[in-house]
Amino acid sequence: MIKRLLRTSPLLLSICLTACASLPSQMPSRPAVRVAPKITIDTVAPSRPGAPVQASRATDGWDQLRSSFAMADCDADPAIMVWARRYARNPQQFENQLDDVLPRLVYVQRVAAQYDVAGEFVLLPWVESHFQTAPRRRNRPAGIWQIMPATAGSMGLRVTSRYDGRLDVSASAHAVMKLLKAYHDQFHDWRVADYAYNAGEFRIRQLVQTRGMPTDVPVIPRWPVQKVTREHLTRLLAIACIVREPERFNVSLPSLPKDQQLVQVSLARSMPMAQAAHHAGMSIDTLRELNAGFRNDTIDVDAAPYVLLPASHVDQFRAALSGQTFRQTGVDANAGVSTSTAVAATGHPVAVAKPAQPIQRTHRVKHGESLWQIAHRYSVDVTQLQRWNHLRGGSLKPGQILQLSDAD
């Protein structure tokens, strides 16, 4: 937290006292505070500022994230450690959950860096939704940021029957980071910015006007706000605490290979979600989940002229769109065979090299993993996993071996 200059510089203090000698006296308990005009958020351009978010070249994203932290550490308040231990009480389950949402977290991290927002807010969706694109319900919050429909409009996010910007990871990340940056420009305190995000700007502006800015200590400002608002900041600092000192909680933070990072790919025309998935060489369920903002199984460029893809699928997708031939060599997760396939503009294979012997791919179930998480990780459908492994339901046991391709 930035230290107040008047506390650290006797010279500045004397200058300020001289300059303010002719001003009316103020009551110490109610300092005069200049409150900035109400923030107006313009319509969000998801790819601004700067070019569309591309895959990061960083070797250790966690070190980058820690270096961008701007608020208190683990021991600043006992409540922070209480929540941190609660989050990490089952280290293996915590790691699995974090690994599952890591592509979204890394994408949000890159957006936050564009707006110069404190790194702790990269973890805000963990507090709000565990980075899950919660389905929308009438007059209820939705998306990884849990944004209300009425709030979405003021943030520049479109919400229609065909498209919901709250569920769009890219658009919502830009909107939230722009809002947080505006709050910090107004209040100059990231803690107050978090309070404003949770309790509303108007309420926090009133508190600043009547009580002045909070002191550095206590870390969680003792303002007359609801318990949920204080807890919101506490939980944010708690999850940041685990990232700061994972070894303290017996946690090993997962890494994200560059080819799994999400990339925003521009589109010139709308297309069915199934066609886009075929172009990209991935399952429609995975593509739909990554681009949940589109509500009618159509990528509508009038609503959002882009699609989010894992970096490993971008070249094939772009080649299919441009009519070029893309040669891909690897293992087909659905067929379980080694292939060398040329993909034309239609997205259909036009040449296939000789197939190799079937390669069995397996996955050992970790504690806390779900069938959906495993299917999402390997870009296959849940029904395929169930059929390949003769499963009737979705229950799994730790240590269970799953086939990731057809054994036949």
Side-chain angles (χ1 to χ4, degrees):
M1 187 60 59
I2 299 174
K3 301 297 183 182
R4 301 186 187 280
L5 294 177
L6 293 181
R7 295 180 181 175
T8 60
S9 175
L11 178 58
L12 285 178
L13 179 59
S14 63
I15 293 173
C16 289
L17 290 175
T18 302
C20 298
S22 60
L23 297 177
S25 61
Q26 306 273 344
M27 292 297 292
S29 61
R30 294 294 177 90
V33 176
R34 179 181 178 275
V35 181
K38 183 177 179 181
I39 296 172
T40 301
I41 301 298
D42 300 327
T43 300
V44 173
S47 61
R48 295 292 184 267
V53 178
Q54 300 295 330
S56 172
R57 297 181 180 179
T59 56
D60 191 343
W62 295 116
D63 281 344
Q64 274 198 334
L65 185 57
R66 293 184 194 102
S67 68
S68 66
F69 284 168
M71 288 190 274
D73 60 19
C74 297
D75 300 311
D77 189 293
I80 296 174
M81 283 301 297
V82 169
W83 267 102
R85 292 192 179 100
R86 186 178 302 180
Y87 278 135
R89 61 179 176 269
N90 186 326
Q92 185 62 61
Q93 185 177 18
F94 176 83
E95 291 171 17
N96 293 339
Q97 292 174 339
L98 194 58
D99 184 60
D100 186 53
V101 303
L102 200 52
R104 288 175 181 162
L105 189 154
V106 171
Y107 189 90
V108 170
Q109 180 181 355
R110 300 199 301 269
V111 175
Q114 289 186 7
Y115 291 86
D116 198 24
V117 168
E120 287 89 346
F121 289 102
V122 171
L123 305 168
L124 183 55
W126 187 274
V127 176
E128 295 287 349
S129 67
H130 278 60
F131 278 89
Q132 299 301 316
T133 308
R136 68 177 189 173
R137 291 179 293 172
R138 185 177 180 83
N139 297 323
R140 299 291 295 173
I144 65 174
W145 307 94
Q146 288 292 278
I147 300 171
M148 290 292 294
T151 308
S154 65
M155 297 172 68
L157 292 171
R158 295 178 58 183
V159 178
T160 68
S161 60
R162 297 185 303 165
Y163 171 80
D164 191 334
R166 299 173 300 166
L167 306 181
D168 184 328
V169 172
S170 180
S172 62
H174 279 274
V176 169
M177 293 305 166
K178 185 174 183 178
L179 181 65
L180 290 169
K181 180 64 164 59
Y183 284 157
H184 187 261
D185 288 345
Q186 178 179 188
F187 300 118
H188 307 289
D189 190 318
W190 288 117
R191 300 172 304 164
V192 180
D194 183 75
Y195 270 26
Y197 183 86
N198 181 260
E201 177 198 348
F202 179 74
R203 171 60 174 155
I204 300 306
R205 281 167 52 85
Q206 283 185 318
L207 288 173
V208 172
Q209 189 171 24
T210 58
R211 293 175 172 267
M213 292 296 294
T215 57
D216 294 344
V217 179
V219 169
I220 311 300
R222 291 175 183 170
W223 276 355
V225 294
Q226 293 184 358
K227 178 182 177 181
V228 67
T229 300
R230 288 192 296 272
E231 193 172 85
H232 190 269
L233 176 58
T234 305
R235 292 170 64 186
L236 181 63
L237 297 180
I239 188 65
C241 168
I242 300 175
V243 173
R244 283 182 189 271
E245 304 179 52
E247 66 284 347
R248 191 170 182 176
F249 303 93
N250 296 317
V251 166
S252 178
L253 298 178
S255 60
L256 183 69
K258 184 178 178 180
D259 64 357
Q260 293 181 23
Q261 294 186 30
L262 297 181
V263 177
Q264 180 179 303
V265 181
S266 299
L267 291 177
R269 60 181 178 83
S270 301
M271 67 177 61
M273 191 73 70
Q275 182 184 16
H278 197 72
H279 284 345
M282 57 195 299
S283 73
I284 186 173
D285 287 344
T286 300
L287 184 68
R288 184 187 293 115
E289 201 269 337
L290 290 176
N291 298 275
F294 301 110
R295 308 301 302 159
N296 293 333
D297 287 333
T298 298
I299 298 175
D300 183 0
V301 297
D302 291 331
Y306 56 81
V307 64
L308 284 183
L309 297 173
S312 58
H313 293 266
V314 170
D315 287 344
Q316 177 175 337
F317 183 76
R318 285 174 171 162
L321 291 180
S322 64
Q324 298 174 356
T325 298
F326 172 75
R327 184 161 296 279
Q328 173 182 290
T329 302
V331 177
D332 185 335
N334 295 326
V337 296
S338 177
T339 61
S340 178
T341 305
V343 181
T346 60
H348 298 288
V350 297
V352 179
K354 63 177 183 178
Q357 292 299 316
I359 300 174
Q360 293 298 320
R361 299 178 61 198
T362 61
H363 174 82
R364 182 183 295 275
V365 177
K366 300 176 183 177
H367 184 76
E369 279 189 319
S370 69
L371 199 63
W372 181 90
Q373 288 174 324
I374 297 170
H376 176 70
R377 178 175 301 175
Y378 294 100
S379 298
V380 298
D381 294 330
V382 171
T383 54
Q384 289 177 310
L385 277 180
Q386 290 174 320
R387 185 176 73 253
W388 295 334
N389 295 278
H390 308 289
L391 301 175
R392 293 188 177 182
S395 60
L396 299 173
K397 296 180 180 179
Q400 182 177 355
I401 304 298
L402 295 181
Q403 298 292 333
L404 301 178
S405 61
D406 196 341
D408 297 334

